[in-house]
Amino acid sequence: MNTFNRRRRDPLVDVVVMIGMLVVVPVGLRLVDTPRHVRLVWAAGAVPGALSL
């Protein structure tokens, strides 16, 4: 089986991953008192990643 074959993804999985990247991880970073610049770097990578789904 060709591993590069694009299969149709489930939209629900995409939504769950986006919520995790945009909501759950930043809340967790805030709970463990991560410095603000780390949270901003996370957001800078998470937003394009979530939009690419």
Side-chain angles (χ1 to χ4, degrees):
M1 181 174 178
N2 186 359
T3 58
F4 296 107
N5 189 9
R6 286 189 67 109
R7 294 184 290 170
R8 177 109 171 102
R9 290 187 308 215
D10 187 9
L12 181 60
V13 172
D14 290 344
V15 170
V16 170
V17 170
M18 281 193 294
I19 290 171
M21 289 188 343
L22 298 174
V23 177
V24 175
V25 172
V27 168
L29 290 174
R30 185 167 297 172
L31 285 174
V32 296
D33 290 332
T34 305
R36 186 167 196 263
H37 69 278
V38 173
R39 293 193 309 256
L40 291 175
V41 169
W42 171 261
V47 170
L51 292 176
S52 71
L53 291 175

